[in-house]
C-alpha cells in the first residue's frame, strides 16, 4: 500500500497535489512518501515480531538519500552497505555503527579499514582471499573484525537473471561446501571473530520456496558448524522479497507470509537473525514525476515523449521491467502509447504499446514504484543533470536533494593546459 492516491481527480503524494510540487521544483523529480516508508518499516517489523531480536538492516543501495535513511533510522532500522560511500551515508543519517553490516563482493583494503575504524557490527566476507586480507588489516590495526561468511547456497531464486545472486555460477558468496573449512580457519585467524553466516539469493522474489530452500540449507550448515565445535551467533538472511510493480499481475508473498516462513524454518537455530530488505521498504514509497514534452505519431506507433529518460530511471532499459504509468490529472478514456524519454537510445523506453489514460502535451505523468533502484541508479548520460528528490510528510514537503545545475554537471571537467586555446 502506498500514499500516492487520487483526490478530487488529482494524484497526490499524501496531502500534497503533485502539480503543486512540480510547480515548486520543476520536472522531472522523484517524490517519496514518508508515511509509506514508515508503514513499510513497521510492516516488516511486525512480520518478524515472533523472532528474537531481529535486526532489520535496510539495503542502502536501494535508496541511499540521507533523509530517507534518517527516517528509517528513527524507525529503528539498521543499514546494509556495500561501499564506503554508503557507510558514510548511513552514519550521517544517525544509524549506529552497531546496526551496520558491510556486504559486497569486492571490498577494497581502504574500505575494510574504514569499516573497522567505524566499528560496524559485521562484515559479510565473500571469499577466502578477502578473509585473509581482512585478518591482516584488522590485526595490523589491533582490531577484531566480526564477520559472517556469505554463503552461495546454489538455489535458483526464479527471478530476473540480472538480479539472481544465489546460483553456483553467480559471483556472490562462498560455495556452500567450502564454508565449514573456511569458518574453522576464520576462527583461528588473528583479528577475526566469526559470528555467523549470511546469504542473499536475489531480488524481486515472487516465490518463497527458493528462499525457504536456501534458509533450510543455512540451518543445516549452522548445525554442522556447531557440530564441529564452532560458535554461530548470527545468521543474515538477506533481502529480496518482491513488490508489486504491475497491478495486473498476482501479488507477491506478503511480509507476514515471509515472516511466518522464516519463523518456521529457523525454529531452534538460537541465533540473532538479520534481514536486508531494500526494495520492500522503499520501492512503493517513491515515484518519478515527468511532463509530456511531445506526442509523436511514428509509422507504426504512437509515441509519448517525456522529459524523464532512461538516465533518470534505468530499470525498464536495464531489466525490461514494468513501471505503472499514471496521469497526474487523468482524462477519461484510454490510449495506446509507447512511452519514451528524449535520450538518443532506442532502449530509452518506459513502456511499449501500453494502454494508458490519454495524455496531452504538457500533462504530468507519474512512473510508479520508483522509490528503490530509481534515483540511485541515475546517470547524467546525454549531459542531463540529476533530478531532484522531494520527501513529502503529510502536508509538508522538503527537497532532500536539489536538482543538479548545469554548472555542477559540466564544471567537473578539466581541459589540460596543452589543449587550451593558444597553447
Ligand atoms: C541488493 C541486496 C539486498 C537488497 O535486495 P532487495 O531485493 O532490494 O531487498 C540485500 N542484501 C544484499 C547483499 C544485496 O546485494
Amino acid at each position: 500500500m502506498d500514499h500516492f492516491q487520487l483526490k478530487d481527480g488529482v494524484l497526490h503524494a499524501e496531502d500534497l497535489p503533485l502539480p503543486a510540487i512540480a510547480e515548486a521544483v520543476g520536472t522531472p523529480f522523484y517524490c517519496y512518501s514518508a508515511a509509506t516508508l514508515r508503514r513499510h518499516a513497521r510492516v516488516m517489523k511486525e512480520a518478524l515480531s515472533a523472532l528474537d531480536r531481529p535486526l532489520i538492516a535496510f539495503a542502502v543501495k536501494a535508496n541511499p538519500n540521507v533523509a530517507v535513511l534518517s527516517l528509517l533510522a528513527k524507525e529503528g532500522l539498521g543499514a546494509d552497505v556495500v561501499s564506503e560511500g554508503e557507510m558514510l551515508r548511513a552514519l550521517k543519517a544517525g544509524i549506529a555503527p552497531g546496526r551496520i553490516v558491510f556486504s559486497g563482493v569486492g571490498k577494497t583494503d581502504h574500505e575494510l579499514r574504514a569499516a573497522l575504524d567505524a566499528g560496524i557490527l559485521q562484515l559479510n566476507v565473500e571469499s577466502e582471499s578477502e578473509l585473509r586480507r581482512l585478518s591482516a588489516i584488522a590485526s595490523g590495526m589491533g582490531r577484531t573484525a566480526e564477520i559472517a561468511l556469505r554463503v552461495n547456497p546454489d538455489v535458483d531464486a526464479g527471478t530476473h537473471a540480472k538480479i539472481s545472486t544465489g546460483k553456483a555460477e553467480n559471483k556472490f558468496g562462498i560455495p556452500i561446501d567450502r564454508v565449514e573449512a573456511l569458518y574453522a580457519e576464520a576462527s583461528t585467524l588473528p583479528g577475526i571473530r566469526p559470528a555467523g553466516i549470511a546469504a542473499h539469493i536475489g531480488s524481486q522474489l515472487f516465490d518463497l520456496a527458493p528462499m525457504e530452500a536456501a534458509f533450510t540449507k543455512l540451518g543445516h550448515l549452522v548445525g554442522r558448524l556447531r557440530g564441529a565445535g564452532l560458535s554461530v551467533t548470527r545468521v543474515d538472511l538477506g533481502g529480496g522479497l518482491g513488490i508489486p510493480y504491475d497491478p495486473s499481475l498476482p501479488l507477491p508473498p506478503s511480509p507476514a507470509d515471509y515472516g511466518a516462513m522464516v519463523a518456521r524454518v529457523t525454529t531452534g537455530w538460537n541465533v540473532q537473525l538479520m534481514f536486508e530488505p531494500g526494495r520492500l521498504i522503499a520501492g512503493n514509497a517513491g515515484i518519478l514525476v515527468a511532463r509530456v514534452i511531445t506526442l509523436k505519431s511514428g509509422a507504426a506507433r504512437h509515441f509519448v515523449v517525456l522529459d524523464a529518460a532512461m538516465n533518470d530511471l534505468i530499470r525498464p532499459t536495464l531489466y525490461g521491467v514494468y513501471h505503472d504509468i499514471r496521469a497526474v490529472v487523468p482524462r477519461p478514456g484510454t490510449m495506446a502509447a509507447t512511452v519514451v524519454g528524449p535520450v538518443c537510445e532506442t532502449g530509452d523506453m518506459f513502456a511499449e504499446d501500453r494502454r494508458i489514460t490519454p495524455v496531452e502535451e504538457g500533462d504530468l505523468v507519474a512512473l510508479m514504484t520508483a522509490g528503490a533502484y530509481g534515483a540511485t541508479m541515475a546517470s547524467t548520460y546525454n549531459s542531463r543533470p540529476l533530478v531532484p528528490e522531494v520527501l513529502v510528510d503529510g502536508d509538508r514537503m522538503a527537497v532532500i536533494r536539489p536538482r543538479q545545475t548545469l554548472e555542477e554537471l559540466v564544471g567537473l571537467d578539466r581541459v589540460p593546459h596543452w589543449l587550451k586555446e593558444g597553447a
Side-chain angles (χ1 to χ4, degrees):
M1 204 219 109
D2 63 53
H3 291 76
F4 300 103
Q5 305 292 341
L6 281 177
K7 289 178 197 168
D8 298 327
V10 178
L11 193 60
H12 280 56
E14 303 194 17
D15 297 337
L16 295 183
L18 290 171
I21 304 176
E23 190 66 36
V25 304
T27 56
F29 65 95
Y30 276 95
C31 182
Y32 307 128
S33 154
T36 311
L37 286 165
R38 285 192 198 104
R39 191 187 123 80
H40 291 168
R42 287 171 195 174
V43 163
M44 190 67 185
K45 281 188 282 188
E46 179 61 32
L48 302 174
S49 59
L51 305 173
D52 180 29
R53 297 167 301 124
L55 173 59
I56 305 174
F58 175 65
V60 171
K61 72 174 195 266
N63 189 323
N65 190 290
V66 176
V68 169
L69 299 181
S70 300
L71 184 153
L72 296 175
K74 288 200 168 63
E75 293 298 315
L77 268 55
D80 166 43
V81 303
V82 295
S83 70
E84 186 185 9
E86 286 191 356
M87 186 176 73
L88 185 65
R89 285 169 177 274
L91 293 169
K92 241 185 133 165
I95 297 177
R99 303 179 77 76
I100 297 178
V101 51
F102 203 129
S103 306
V105 74
K107 304 176 205 74
T108 64
D109 289 1
H110 180 82
E111 284 175 322
L112 295 176
R113 242 179 245 116
L116 290 165
D117 262 333
I120 64 166
L121 177 70
Q122 174 175 304
L123 286 123
N124 288 353
V125 170
E126 294 239 3
S127 68
E128 299 162 37
S129 105
E130 184 180 61
L131 179 66
R132 298 198 183 103
R133 221 155 31 91
L134 179 60
S135 168
I137 290 170
S139 50
M141 292 169 72
R143 299 278 173 104
T144 300
E146 290 217 13
I147 63 135
L149 292 184
R150 176 158 176 190
V151 179
N152 184 321
D154 191 20
V155 296
D156 186 345
T159 187
H160 193 287
K162 285 188 181 158
I163 47 177
S164 284
T165 55
K167 287 271 289 165
E169 65 263 31
N170 296 140
K171 71 177 173 180
F172 297 98
I174 297 156
I176 191 158
D177 56 356
R178 288 192 218 152
V179 172
E180 281 167 78
L182 195 62
Y183 202 97
E185 183 188 338
S187 67
T188 67
L189 285 176
I192 300 285
R193 195 187 82 76
I197 53 177
H200 170 76
I201 63 167
S203 199
Q204 186 57 4
L205 307 184
F206 258 58
D207 185 0
L208 292 179
M211 284 195 255
E212 178 164 351
F215 299 166
T216 302
K217 286 188 176 189
L218 294 186
H220 293 150
L221 180 57
V222 170
R224 291 198 300 276
L225 291 168
R226 286 187 174 146
L230 299 162
S231 155
V232 182
T233 56
R234 281 199 290 265
V235 176
D236 181 344
L237 297 180
L241 195 57
I243 60 170
Y245 282 89
D246 182 343
S248 73
L249 291 182
L251 290 172
S254 71
D257 294 343
Y258 171 82
M261 179 273 283
V262 168
R264 178 165 48 78
V265 173
T266 64
T267 301
W269 285 16
N270 196 20
V271 294
Q272 182 187 26
L273 289 173
M274 298 169 53
F275 300 87
E276 302 171 343
R279 193 187 307 274
L280 184 79
I281 303 289
N284 277 319
I287 59 176
L288 174 63
V289 179
R291 202 177 284 283
V292 176
I293 302 179
T294 302
L295 299 180
K296 175 174 169 173
S297 283
R301 277 190 179 143
H302 191 61
F303 292 103
V304 173
V305 186
L306 305 181
D307 62 0
M310 61 183 275
N311 69 296
D312 305 308
L313 176 65
I314 199 155
R315 297 188 68 259
T317 306
L318 191 58
Y319 310 126
V321 293
Y322 186 103
H323 280 269
D324 201 16
I325 299 175
R326 294 171 64 181
V328 167
V329 185
R331 302 168 187 279
T334 64
M335 69 190 261
T338 295
V339 183
V340 301
V343 158
C344 301
E345 295 277 346
T346 301
D348 181 22
M349 189 186 288
F350 292 121
E352 195 170 1
D353 277 329
R354 171 103 49 99
R355 291 221 77 85
I356 63 171
T357 58
V359 291
E360 293 179 9
E361 292 182 3
D363 282 5
L364 293 170
V365 300
L367 292 138
M368 307 304 289
T369 320
Y373 309 107
T376 182
M377 285 183 135
S379 78
T380 59
Y381 185 43
N382 278 210
S383 290
R384 294 165 48 84
L386 296 176
V387 307
E389 292 170 85
V390 173
L391 181 65
V392 171
D393 191 358
D395 60 2
R396 289 183 296 190
M397 65 164 265
V399 176
I400 58 172
R401 188 179 178 91
R403 189 182 304 281
Q404 189 178 35
T405 65
L406 281 174
E407 289 68 40
E408 287 163 345
L409 176 71
V410 178
L412 281 175
D413 291 3
R414 297 285 179 270
V415 179
H417 70 87
W418 39 265
L419 278 179
K420 286 197 176 138
E421 228 171 303

